[in-house]
Amino acid sequence: MTVSIHPAVDGGVKKGSDSFAGGTLVCACQDRPVKVAIKGQIAYNHACGCTKCWKPTGATFSVVAVAPVGNVTVLENGDKLKVVDPSALIQRYACIGCGVHMHGPVEREHAFQGLSFVHPERFQEEGWAEPGFAAFVSSIIESGTDPSEMDGVRGRLKELGLEPYDCLSPGLMDYMATWVAKKNGVLK
Amino acid sequence: MTVSIHPAVDGGVKKGSDSFAGGTLVCACQDRPVKVAIKGQIAYNHACGCTKCWKPTGATFSVVAVAPVGNVTVLENGDKLKVVDPSALIQRYACIGCGVHMHGPVEREHAFQGLSFVHPERFQEEGWAEPGFAAFVSSIIESGTDPSEMDGVRGRLKELGLEPYDCLSPGLMDYMATWVAKKNGVLK
């Protein structure tokens, strides 16, 4: 039995295109879909097992990336967007019709301030940068995955080239620690 | 240049003994040292890069393990012990003379409740279970390690057989997630 990670990667991770210059994210509503323009390529695309990221029905992981807040523009039907949890670091704007999270800016003082979290599978266009790792893998247990399945899940992620981590990737963890060290005056 | 992790592992990780039945932790004071008895072998010994664990002078990582709270007994000079940060999950009892953390029970409702965190290098005896991985590696940046040194640090940890993680090991992360899932009724 093959472990299902997410429909966008289960058949193999599809390489992005160097010429991708952005596109339009569209929610799942038939009527008055929310549309959000993203300028330029996305960064740090990854599979995420956390309980807060939006996932399509049946998916164990979300696929989520970032774009600078300045590159994100709500184009249509923005009146349908509402922040899921205003107390969270990521202000996830979800469509009140279909539930898809359309963009998630970090507004608080944080290493990720100024970035917005988006789900590239909602692009109308192809060519967005492929996911490069898997984050918060152990957290899928909190959504109901049986702990006995975890070896299979981590094995499948490695097979797909999505190195599994139970927090973020080492590069991003170092980036956050560096931000904290500078803020505290430990590093110049 | 060899990266220094901790004096107890820099020369190679020394295997523990199956017959180790516990021992006595002693602080660094010449006068009236604090002594704490630990019954039985320690578990989950690991190198830890977090900023809260006690480290000997010059060490980049701490070496820390757990024992059930019921196996921990303060034997002598317990009047010198004081909790470093009463708001922290781990109630780290430090010697007010030398600063060594002698035991750290988890009293709050948590996956680790009932365990106490101890530093096995303070055992008078040899034979304690060797460290098996490295946790919170990226956090050493917050204590002043330059981000450019991280590749060398992670490489050295792997060389020593201490797989580096930026949170806890997958087994412990799954254990914590399982505890949360059961608490929330997601798992039975």
Side-chain angles (χ1 to χ4, degrees):
Chain A
M1 194 190 77
T2 305
V3 176
S4 168
I5 304 298
H6 181 285
V9 302
D10 282 339
V13 173
K14 195 183 160 191
K15 268 289 228 183
S17 162
D18 288 344
S19 61
F20 185 77
T24 301
L25 303 168
V26 185
C27 80
C29 286
Q30 293 295 321
D31 184 42
R32 294 211 307 125
V34 180
K35 296 190 179 184
V36 174
I38 307 294
K39 203 167 73 184
Q41 187 52 284
I42 50 170
Y44 296 110
N45 192 13
H46 61 283
C48 181
C50 89
T51 55
K52 296 202 158 187
C53 272
W54 172 80
K55 301 170 186 70
T57 310
T60 313
F61 286 80
S62 75
V63 168
V64 67
V66 295
V69 168
N71 288 3
V72 179
T73 311
V74 178
L75 296 177
E76 290 178 30
N77 301 313
D79 59 299
K80 292 172 76 177
L81 292 176
K82 199 181 163 206
V83 175
V84 179
D85 176 3
S87 73
L89 174 69
I90 302 174
Q91 299 284 291
R92 295 173 178 86
Y93 283 86
C95 171
I96 54 171
C98 63
V100 174
H101 295 187
M102 296 304 291
H103 66 116
V106 174
E107 290 161 0
R108 207 186 289 168
E109 195 185 3
H110 186 277
F112 294 161
Q113 190 180 33
L115 295 176
S116 185
F117 286 73
V118 296
H119 297 285
E121 70 205 79
R122 302 310 310 177
F123 272 122
Q124 292 184 122
E125 300 81 3
E126 302 211 325
W128 38 274
E130 74 277 9
F133 63 93
F136 299 106
V137 172
S138 61
S139 299
I140 64 172
I141 295 172
E142 294 180 39
S143 314
T145 297
D146 196 90
S148 67
E149 294 174 35
M150 294 306 289
D151 284 354
V153 169
R154 290 193 175 90
R156 177 63 179 148
L157 287 167
K158 285 182 189 180
E159 205 170 62
L160 288 167
L162 301 171
E163 187 65 25
Y165 302 107
D166 298 318
C167 41
L168 288 168
S169 65
L172 286 171
M173 293 300 286
D174 287 1
Y175 178 82
M176 285 199 291
T178 302
W179 185 87
V180 171
K182 284 185 177 167
K183 183 174 148 77
N184 293 340
V186 174
L187 286 178
K188 290 274 164 70
Chain B
M1 194 189 76
T2 306
V3 176
S4 168
I5 303 298
H6 180 285
V9 302
D10 282 339
V13 173
K14 197 183 160 189
K15 267 291 227 183
S17 162
D18 287 345
S19 61
F20 184 76
T24 302
L25 303 169
V26 185
C27 79
C29 287
Q30 293 296 319
D31 184 40
R32 295 212 304 124
V34 180
K35 295 189 178 184
V36 175
I38 307 293
K39 204 166 72 183
Q41 186 54 284
I42 51 170
Y44 296 109
N45 193 13
H46 61 283
C48 181
C50 89
T51 55
K52 294 201 160 188
C53 272
W54 172 78
K55 302 169 185 74
T57 310
T60 312
F61 286 81
S62 75
V63 168
V64 67
V66 295
V69 168
N71 288 5
V72 178
T73 312
V74 178
L75 295 176
E76 290 179 30
N77 302 313
D79 59 299
K80 294 171 76 178
L81 291 176
K82 199 180 163 207
V83 174
V84 178
D85 176 3
S87 73
L89 174 71
I90 303 174
Q91 299 283 291
R92 296 174 178 85
Y93 283 85
C95 172
I96 53 171
C98 64
V100 174
H101 296 187
M102 297 304 291
H103 66 116
V106 173
E107 291 162 1
R108 206 186 289 168
E109 194 186 4
H110 186 275
F112 295 161
Q113 190 180 34
L115 295 176
S116 186
F117 285 73
V118 296
H119 297 285
E121 71 205 78
R122 303 310 311 179
F123 272 124
Q124 291 184 120
E125 300 82 2
E126 302 209 328
W128 36 274
E130 73 277 8
F133 64 93
F136 298 106
V137 171
S138 61
S139 299
I140 64 172
I141 295 172
E142 294 180 39
S143 314
T145 296
D146 195 89
S148 66
E149 294 174 35
M150 295 306 290
D151 284 352
V153 168
R154 289 193 176 93
R156 177 63 178 149
L157 287 167
K158 285 183 188 179
E159 202 171 65
L160 288 166
L162 301 171
E163 187 65 26
Y165 302 107
D166 297 319
C167 43
L168 288 168
S169 65
L172 286 172
M173 293 301 287
D174 286 1
Y175 178 82
M176 286 199 292
T178 302
W179 185 87
V180 171
K182 284 184 176 164
K183 184 175 148 72
N184 294 340
V186 176
L187 286 178
K188 290 275 163 69

